[in-house]
Amino acid sequence: MKDENCIFCKIANGEIPAATLYEDDDFRVILDLGPASKGHALILPKEHYANLYELPDELAAKVIILAKKMITKLTGVLGCDGYNLVQNNGSAAGQTVFHFHLHMIPRYEGDQVGLGWKMGELTDADRDEILAKLAE
């Protein structure tokens, strides 16, 4: 299924040009037009799924295997020092395009790419509440 109004559907299916790093029957991997660092790329499924909740398990498994292959190769190409894999679900999580996509962000020592958060503390009450609700 494609969403004719979705820009990522159009890019993933070749209707809009992109710097394609890899393509197969399920996915297109492109360079991000607004990169966090040199070599920042996106894995886009060719079918439309708004987020990870909608992505079928089989494709979810394939996307992580593809990410591993891509970052393994790109680490050598780019000479980066590490990688972040980032996947946002919903506006509250920073998702701005509602077509599942996985960011592969190369990291370079001292690059100052801002992906951090303020560390909190797991309280006994929060732990107990989450564990109890999950067991229901």
Side-chain angles (χ1 to χ4, degrees):
M1 175 184 85
K2 287 188 346 188
D3 179 339
E4 64 186 45
N5 297 313
C6 174
I7 191 160
F8 278 5
C9 280
K10 292 176 182 178
I11 293 169
N13 289 284
E15 296 170 32
I16 294 176
T20 299
L21 303 177
Y22 173 85
E23 181 178 9
D24 63 23
D25 291 341
D26 297 313
F27 301 101
R28 182 180 298 258
V29 180
I30 64 167
L31 288 174
D32 194 312
L33 289 179
S37 66
K38 181 181 178 182
H40 179 166
L42 303 174
I43 299 177
L44 307 174
K46 291 185 174 180
E47 296 292 320
H48 184 81
Y49 305 99
N51 50 45
L52 183 60
Y53 305 116
E54 293 183 5
L55 193 69
D57 290 350
E58 180 183 322
L59 281 182
K62 286 181 176 181
V63 79
I64 201 70
I65 292 167
L66 178 55
K68 180 183 177 193
K69 288 177 183 177
M70 293 302 303
I71 70 169
T72 298
K73 185 165 188 171
L74 286 168
T75 295
V77 169
L78 297 168
C80 59
D81 301 304
Y83 255 93
N84 287 116
L85 298 179
V86 178
Q87 203 283 306
N88 303 318
N89 294 282
S91 297
Q95 186 177 11
T96 57
V97 179
F98 293 89
H99 179 111
F100 173 90
H101 55 288
L102 180 69
H103 294 263
M104 298 181 295
I105 303 172
R107 298 304 303 269
Y108 304 89
E109 291 295 332
D111 64 17
Q112 299 183 0
V113 170
L115 297 176
W117 53 84
K118 183 180 181 284
M119 298 292 281
E121 181 180 332
L122 176 62
T123 65
D124 291 345
D126 285 347
R127 179 201 61 219
D128 293 346
E129 176 189 357
I130 293 165
L131 291 173
K133 286 182 177 178
L134 193 57
E136 292 176 358

